[in-house]
Amino acid sequence: MSSHRMISNLSLTGFMGVGKSTLGRFLANSLRYQFVDTDEMIEQRSGKPITKIFEDDGEDSFRSLEQEIVDEMVSWKRRVISTGGGLITKNNNLERLKAYSFVVCLWASPETIYHRIKRQSHRPLLQTTDPVRRIEDLLEERSVFYKQSDYMVNTDKRPLRVVAQLVTHQFHQALNHCRQTRTGG
Ligand code: S3P
């Protein structure tokens, strides 16, 4: 891990439907960190749901709102940040997220993702006639970003508690590493 990083937060990334928010709330509770969800922040600030933002203003406008939030992260401490599935794929968001946080990517197969999201309608990018194909295409396109996370964990067959343990262990190791680097230990 590079020494210029100031890890003060834990970020969760990964495709839609992999369970970032659920795990994020769980981890925030156990670490006693504040939980923040970039999608929720955007909805609160714009006063409308994400589907409506995409409909009225387009995806680019949504991405700019994500960008504004990443700009604010420099002052964040002790937060578990659940990020929208496309956030790290735009501009240099991944690099910036890594500057302020330990970045964990939750992974799942297209089948698992489809199974989890098929009854939901709040994800504009998946409102197509062939959502499985769309999931496969987007996963392929985005995996180059997801794979640059600090830690990737497959959530397909693991219960939440186990994923949380694995992530917590990795996060504490990263925090220790940063502390040692800073104190020269
Ligand atoms: C998106 C993922 C969504 C939300 C928006 C776009 C994406 O968040 O940000 O619909 O590009 O993958 P979740 O990953 O929390 O569903």
Side-chain angles (χ1 to χ4, degrees), residues 16 20 39 50 54 62-63 66 84-86 123-125 142:
M16 296 169 257
K20 289 165 290 185
D39 287 343
I50 286 166
F54 270 69
F62 174 78
R63 298 298 170 199
E66 285 190 319
R123 293 189 173 95
L125 292 178
R142 293 175 171 185

Side-chain angles (χ1 to χ4, degrees), residues 20-80:
K20 289 165 290 185
S21 302
T22 312
L23 179 72
R25 282 178 208 284
F26 186 92
L27 287 171
N29 195 33
S30 67
L31 292 165
R32 295 176 201 277
Y33 277 22
Q34 184 188 345
F35 174 72
V36 285
D37 182 311
T38 59
D39 287 343
E40 275 177 15
M41 287 179 76
I42 289 173
E43 290 189 331
Q44 276 163 12
R45 287 176 181 190
S46 57
K48 52 186 171 186
I50 286 166
T51 21
K52 197 89 176 71
I53 302 174
F54 270 69
E55 241 170 65
D56 294 352
D57 317 312
E59 181 175 348
D60 285 351
S61 167
F62 174 78
R63 298 298 170 199
S64 305
L65 296 170
E66 285 190 319
Q67 194 66 47
E68 279 173 24
I69 295 177
V70 176
D71 289 344
E72 293 166 24
M73 286 180 189
V74 61
S75 63
W76 290 6
K77 298 235 170 342
R78 294 176 66 85
R79 295 188 189 191
V80 175

Side-chain angles (χ1 to χ4, degrees), residues 118-168:
K118 68 181 173 206
R119 286 187 229 294
Q120 303 173 349
S121 60
H122 64 279
R123 293 189 173 95
L125 292 178
L126 300 180
Q127 303 311 307
T128 71
T129 46
D130 190 351
V132 178
R133 183 66 198 272
R134 182 90 170 118
I135 293 168
E136 285 169 351
D137 288 349
L138 278 173
L139 267 179
E140 195 178 315
E141 192 182 303
R142 293 175 171 185
S143 62
V144 59
F145 296 98
Y146 292 147
K147 284 180 180 161
Q148 292 176 58
S149 300
D150 292 308
Y151 179 59
M152 273 187 107
V153 55
N154 192 330
T155 64
D156 266 344
K157 294 194 178 74
R158 290 188 170 111
L160 175 83
R161 224 161 256 283
V162 174
V163 176
Q165 274 168 4
L166 292 169
V167 171
T168 305

